[in-house]
Amino acid sequence: MVGANLKAEAMSLMEKRTAVEAEMNAIIQRLSTPDGPGLSGNLIDAEGFPRSDIDIPLVRAERRRLAGNNAESNNQNPSLVNAASSASPSNFIQRDSSAALDVDVIISKPFALIDEITDASPSAEDGLQLGDQIVKFGNVEAGENLLQRLAFEGQSNQGQAVPVEIMRQGALINLSVTPRKWQGRGLLGCHFRIL
């Protein structure tokens, strides 16, 4: 009985995830047009004035929506993760073979979200993107004092590749990021928001 409910809930979550991914892809496509601002490009011109060729409030709203910062997005992406987490303990695999359709459920719960990333920064050059959800950063996983642990992990691995596990548009991706000095602030050039 529990397996059947879990399967139905997993199927429902997969359908919701597909809808959220489609919306995110549409936002990315709109922001990434040839003359568009991109996912993290400047909204001001070379003279320091707001760009007149784009709708700045709309671009900011779409970036926030993509990053999961506004209330409407927070009611979609994190709720999918929370619903999956409440359906079963985190980080587990369960198989229900009693029905005609086998479903493996793997839940990796992100603990942080990249809500700001600077162009030409180490994190941008190494493949991190706005809206990526951090599942594991080096030895840091969910727990307490996450910001301090993330900072320590970056500082103690300066100049060395750090394995990073992220959730991007519902897919689990493994990257490596090398914290290093660059022309901007910090060693990574991105901001983590704890979920």
Side-chain angles (χ1 to χ4, degrees), residues 37-42 63 66-67 69 113-132 134 166 168 175 177 182 185 188-193:
L39 300 179
S40 61
N42 282 333
R63 285 179 176 177
L66 188 62
N69 282 340
L113 173 81
I114 296 179
D115 64 355
E116 188 177 315
I117 191 165
T118 306
D119 289 337
S121 66
S123 51
E125 289 179 355
D126 291 347
L128 290 177
Q129 297 179 5
L130 186 69
D132 284 349
I134 308 299
I166 62 167
R168 180 180 294 162
L175 298 172
V177 177
W182 63 294
R185 289 181 40 198
L188 293 173
C190 68
H191 181 264
F192 296 108
R193 180 171 60 90

Side-chain angles (χ1 to χ4, degrees), residues 95-111:
R95 176 165 283 186
D96 175 27
S97 298
S98 62
L101 181 64
D102 286 346
V103 176
D104 288 349
V105 180
I106 302 173
I107 299 174
S108 295
K109 188 171 182 180
F111 64 85

Side-chain angles (χ1 to χ4, degrees), residues 31-81:
L31 292 175
S32 300
T33 59
D35 291 329
L39 300 179
S40 61
N42 282 333
L43 301 180
I44 57 174
D45 61 20
E47 296 173 356
F49 293 102
R51 287 179 55 179
S52 60
D53 62 328
I54 57 174
D55 183 350
I56 292 175
L58 177 64
V59 169
R60 285 184 173 160
E62 289 199 322
R63 285 179 176 177
R64 278 192 309 269
R65 184 154 178 86
L66 188 62
N69 282 340
N70 69 7
E72 189 174 347
S73 182
N74 282 340
N75 289 334
Q76 286 185 2
N77 292 339
S79 69
L80 295 180
V81 173

Side-chain angles (χ1 to χ4, degrees), residues 1-38:
M1 185 68 153
V2 173
N5 290 341
L6 184 61
K7 184 188 327 185
E9 190 164 347
M11 296 301 283
S12 172
L13 290 175
M14 285 191 279
E15 289 172 7
K16 288 178 184 177
R17 184 180 79 183
T18 301
V20 169
E21 287 173 355
E23 180 183 7
M24 290 174 76
N25 286 335
I27 291 171
I28 291 168
Q29 189 174 20
R30 284 192 299 267
L31 292 175
S32 300
T33 59
D35 291 329

